[in-house]
Amino acid sequence: MGAAVRLEGVRVSFGATRALDGVDLHVATGERIALLGPSGAGKSTLLNVLNGSVTPSAGSVQVLGADPAALPGRAARRLRARVGTVHQHLELVGALRVVHNVNAGRLGSWPAWRAALSLLRPQGVAQVAAALEQVDLLERMYERTERLSGGQRQRVAIARVLVQRPELVLADEPASALDPALAGRALALLSGLAAERGGSLLACLHDPALALAHCTRVLGLVEGRIALDAPAARLTPADLADFYGVRR
Amino acid sequence: MSGALERPVPVPATGAATAAVPVLHRSRARWAWALGALAVVAWSLAGAGLFSGEVLNPAGARQFARFAAGALSPDLSGGFVRVLGTSALVTVAYAASGAALAVLIGALGAPLLARTSWGRGRSGWAGWALARALVAVPRGLHEAVWGLLLLNVLGLDPWVGVLAIAVPYGAVTATVFADLLEEVPRGPREALLAAGAGRGTSALYALLPAAAGDLLAYACYRLECAVRSAVVLGLIGAGGLGYQLSLSFTSLRWEQVWSCVYALSLLCVGAVVAGRAVRRRLADPPPAPAGERARGGPRLHRDRLLTAAVAAVAALVAWSWWYLALDPAGLGAERTREQLSLLLAQSWPPRVSGPLLGSLAGAAVETVQMSVVAVALATLGAVLVSGPAARPVHRPGPVRGVLGALLRLGLLLLRAVPAPVWALVLLFVLRPGILPGALALGLYTLGVLGRLSAEAVEELDPRPAQALAGLGAGPAGTWFYAVAPRAAGAVLAYALYRWEVAVRDSVLVGLLGAGGLGAVLATALQTFDRPTATSTLVVLVLLTCAVDLVSARARAVVR
Ligand SMILES: Nc1ncnc2c1ncn2[C@@H]1O[C@H](COP(=O)(O)OP(=O)(O)OP(=O)(O)O)[C@@H](O)[C@H]1O
Ligand SMILES: [Mg+2]
């Protein structure tokens, strides 16, 4: 099986803070990985390295067989369109209707004229409706996004990656504002999305039970380094409680 | 629709939603306003003669080229630079004393315009509404119009320039001050009143401190605007840089014209930079130094920079008073009073003959068309430049960096030069009519609106745009989905505000010959046809109020 991600000695610094401090990571295609770790450990930074929005100061990055920072403009865009992210702070545009925020997932493949036209007359409505139905938000399709609750917005962000249909799905606490039932469903959707295209999933999670239920492998990040890396099948909730306990 | 782009979403086997898909309901009001605005713009462009007949004047191309060439070789000879220095002092002196007087008028007038000071009940409301209506008269007339009117009363006196700024600015400042005071929460003041404090002292302790920052910031902003107005007044004869500019222009000395333009730009940059520094400081005061807190006992800590700024402004006002040799006695002199009563007697009643009303209506239509074309072009231009002119969050590449700096400089030149000067330049290559006036106003408005729009873009949270770039969106997609929807409201609101300003300014361009109500007014004043002038002024004020109302309604819809 090919490698979805290969990181070697990756370091990221923000001023004096070392957000990632020598991370080596190899993700095979088809793996579903839960990323655990205390707040400030560097989880979001790791995902941002993978989707190309943060360039490391040292180390080598290979995502879906290429280094996002080394590619020229168009090729970099094509690579980015194959990586989908549910951001921790969602990064939706409140002033747009839900349908447009979901359609934004397709900006990597749409030409500019189609993107502009869609704002006047929404394009690909059937796909948007299908994605919204999966996150139980169909009836809010034409609402302005700023009128939605926090959990509803989170589901809009998930619907956005559903229509993007990436090969590598990155999810930064995608269920943090959802009730337990919806949270389970959201994770099932994301791992189903990855599996459907033979892709991989990397999700930051704070809930060990969710991690064990939906993922094949668990990574623990502490102060920018990988401190735990084990198949989910070999871990128990008690082990994970220990992992967090070590820090306290 | 191509199959590659329309891939079905995985989980439901059908690939389409099973529940009923909602129907898109568009906001009727917004669409109606948008279509209405487009229709008005098209009508105005037609009125400006864009779709009919010749608008270009090829004969003037050579003169225009000579003018443009002057940009690279401004007159920097010692003698002329000295002349420019003295002129700049005059301009600054008019601006400072005019703005200071305006702030004084504003502070005294604000209580009269605040709803709370008129008491409850119907009579209170009527009094307040009357006060607001009365203040629309000084507000609705351009500084230059006030200048010309005051010239008739005071003759050649420095008070003309000072009052021409102070009267309209004072009216606006009073309204804004009143609104700012109304916004302060009532609770604290009512608590003081209940505890037996008087009306004045309770305002001093509970109203003023809460509003002080905003009041000072607005006063600063007015001082910046006053510099521009002082230049415009110079164009119609009050001296200073504007006067020098018009002298150089009429003698066709392009190198000198450009030196004036650069001097104006420097002056405007200076005013804006200083004003912005003070406003930033007011909005975000620095914390008290930690060392001082440690060094035993609390101490009253004043912000040095603000104290210095207030002292400097006070000194500047005192100096300008002295420099212009303003004499309060001149205002109350016997001759002034005679002139005033003579002017009033000659001006009343206004002329209401049929033909005059007809031509006034035509001129009002021209004025509206001129302002609409100006603002439409400026808005279009501002939307186009706002992205590249905004300072990017990350360090830009060399091309982007240079392009941005050049655009910002260009916008600065556009707004530093008064609109009438642009009109004169455009008259080299365009036939006279409302089009050159509209374009000139448009260029000037673009300078203002472009900067405001770039600032609106700069203030956006960059992360949603970064998220879209992260999923492969190109620059256009990112702009349409992350930048435009969030900046549009602010930019449209600014554009509507500038429309009111453009109506007022179009009178100024008209005074110098570009048609519309300004041209009618200029003729009436030159021929001492006072009743016609009065009618024109009344139409002008009514038009300004109408535009004010429409713009306020449109802003409510945009929001
Ligand atoms: N843009 C930034 N500028 C400066 N420092 C940053 C930035 N992004 C992250 N950091 C720092 O890097 C470290 C790791 O941040 P990161 O967001 O990756 O943590 P996290 O594991 O996602 O935390 P959380 O669980 O709270 O989301 C933190 O110390 C943070 O302050
Ligand atoms: Mg995080």
Side-chain angles (χ1 to χ4, degrees), chain A residues 51 77 80-81 83 87 89 91-93 95-97 100 104-110 112 114-116 118-122 124-125 127 129-130 133-134 138-139 141-142 144 160 162 164-165 189 196-197, chain B residues 1-2 5-12 15-27 30-31 461 463-478 480-483 485-486 559:
Chain A
N51 67 25
R77 273 187 66 187
R80 288 168 163 208
V83 180
H87 292 268
H89 303 291
E91 317 304 3
L92 301 172
V93 175
L96 284 180
R97 295 173 197 266
H100 299 309
R106 286 198 275 204
L107 291 179
S109 51
W110 274 0
R114 189 152 188 215
S118 180
L119 288 175
L120 294 176
R121 193 172 179 289
V125 171
Q127 283 77 13
E133 199 185 12
Q134 291 182 66
L138 181 57
E139 73 282 11
M141 179 151 150
Y142 290 116
R144 270 165 79 99
R160 173 188 284 185
L162 290 181
Q164 187 190 346
R165 303 192 0 124
L189 275 174
E196 181 240 354
R197 303 208 64 195
Chain B
M1 292 187 197
S2 76
L5 297 172
E6 294 295 316
R7 293 167 301 201
V9 164
V11 180
T18 46
V21 175
V23 184
L24 173 59
H25 289 290
R26 301 182 193 273
S27 154
R30 285 189 180 206
W31 276 89
D461 178 358
R463 289 176 305 181
Q466 283 165 0
L468 292 190
L471 61 79
T478 312
F480 278 122
Y481 280 76
V483 179
R486 290 185 299 157
R559 218 178 295 129

Side-chain angles (χ1 to χ4, degrees), chain B residues 367 371 374-375 441 445 497-507:
Chain B
T367 294
S371 65
V375 171
L441 267 183
T445 311
Y497 271 121
R498 292 308 302 189
W499 183 36
E500 301 171 27
V501 181
V503 168
R504 236 162 282 174
D505 283 357
S506 70
V507 173

Side-chain angles (χ1 to χ4, degrees), chain B residues 127-229:
Chain B
W128 173 75
L130 185 69
R132 288 259 163 171
L134 282 181
V135 92
V137 176
R139 274 184 71 173
L141 299 180
H142 193 275
E143 298 92 82
V145 175
W146 279 110
L148 291 178
L149 293 178
L150 287 163
L151 201 59
N152 277 303
V153 177
L154 295 166
L156 285 176
D157 189 297
W159 275 113
V160 172
V162 175
L163 287 179
I165 294 177
V167 170
Y169 276 34
V172 182
T173 308
T175 324
V176 172
F177 277 11
D179 292 345
L180 288 175
L181 289 174
E182 305 262 84
E183 275 166 23
V184 175
R186 304 269 169 77
R189 185 168 184 215
E190 269 159 22
L192 290 186
L193 286 172
R199 290 178 68 85
T201 38
S202 66
L204 195 60
Y205 274 77
L207 274 187
L208 271 187
D214 287 342
L215 296 178
L216 261 181
Y218 187 76
C220 265
Y221 167 69
R222 271 294 135 195
L223 183 59
E224 294 168 31
C225 299
V227 172
R228 254 169 241 152
S229 295

Side-chain angles (χ1 to χ4, degrees), chain A residues 43-45 88 172-173 204:
Chain A
K43 304 182 296 293
S44 301
T45 307
Q88 182 170 15
D172 202 344
E173 301 181 25
C204 297

